[in-house]
Amino acid sequence: MTDGQIVYSKHREREYAARELVAKGSYSVIIVVVALIALRPLMVKQLLSRADAYSAFGLYDESKRQCDKVLLFDSDNSQAWCNLGRIYKHQGDLDLALGAYQKSTEADPDNVPAQFELSLMYVKEGQHRQAIPHLDQVRRCRSNKTTA
């Protein structure tokens, strides 16, 4: 009988140790998740600045990779879509550039560079009526900045 009690006591100790280990692991996971959530805007900002730097040096493939990383964190990041539009336009892929600028303006209608580039693309294609709303948005954004 005493042997059974010792085994039961050891089982209880192991169970308690396992629960304690799981609790410590849970706290670690929670801390890591909170840290990633808190650092996410900083990581996006850093990746966007890298993309701008790569574009400035003509490393468009590297810049595109950085923008793709940003879009993994935030699929509606207007600046990343605008940067991709510039890259695609520079590489001569006008359909992808047009789509990227459209996504950029959908994500943030106040993104003046994206609105302006999109309107220029429409004008170059001879679609002047489609360019007008984007140019109006650029004008509104500029006038709002000067009055504010």
Side-chain angles (χ1 to χ4, degrees), residues 97-147:
L98 187 67
Y101 284 132
Q102 287 172 342
K103 285 203 177 215
S104 178
T105 58
E106 288 170 9
D108 181 14
D110 293 336
N111 186 334
V112 173
Q115 293 281 1
F116 187 72
E117 290 291 334
L118 186 57
S119 66
L120 285 179
M121 290 189 71
Y122 283 135
V123 168
K124 285 182 182 178
E125 291 179 1
Q127 300 173 352
H128 301 286
R129 290 193 185 271
Q130 288 183 321
I132 291 171
H134 298 287
L135 289 171
D136 283 339
Q137 182 66 22
V138 168
R139 185 178 46 81
R140 275 189 296 246
C141 290
R142 292 289 183 187
S143 65
N144 288 343
K145 285 184 180 180
T146 57
T147 60

Side-chain angles (χ1 to χ4, degrees), residues 86-95 97:
R86 284 189 195 123
I87 293 166
Y88 291 139
K89 186 176 177 183
H90 184 271
Q91 292 176 338
D93 198 343
L94 299 181
D95 290 335

Side-chain angles (χ1 to χ4, degrees), residues 32-139:
V32 168
V33 168
V34 168
L36 287 176
I37 290 171
L39 293 176
R40 181 177 162 192
L42 295 173
M43 291 173 16
V44 166
K45 185 177 178 181
Q46 178 67 28
L47 289 170
L48 285 172
S49 68
R50 279 185 178 181
D52 289 339
Y54 284 134
S55 288
F57 286 108
L59 301 170
Y60 297 109
D61 290 334
E62 291 297 324
S63 181
K64 192 171 20 172
R65 278 191 202 103
Q66 298 304 314
C67 291
D68 288 340
K69 288 178 187 177
V70 169
L71 293 173
L72 287 174
F73 286 114
D74 181 10
S75 62
D76 288 334
N77 189 293
S78 180
Q79 188 177 351
W81 282 114
C82 187
N83 287 351
L84 280 174
R86 284 189 195 123
I87 293 166
Y88 291 139
K89 186 176 177 183
H90 184 271
Q91 292 176 338
D93 198 343
L94 299 181
D95 290 335
L96 285 177
L98 187 67
Y101 284 132
Q102 287 172 342
K103 285 203 177 215
S104 178
T105 58
E106 288 170 9
D108 181 14
D110 293 336
N111 186 334
V112 173
Q115 293 281 1
F116 187 72
E117 290 291 334
L118 186 57
S119 66
L120 285 179
M121 290 189 71
Y122 283 135
V123 168
K124 285 182 182 178
E125 291 179 1
Q127 300 173 352
H128 301 286
R129 290 193 185 271
Q130 288 183 321
I132 291 171
H134 298 287
L135 289 171
D136 283 339
Q137 182 66 22
V138 168
R139 185 178 46 81

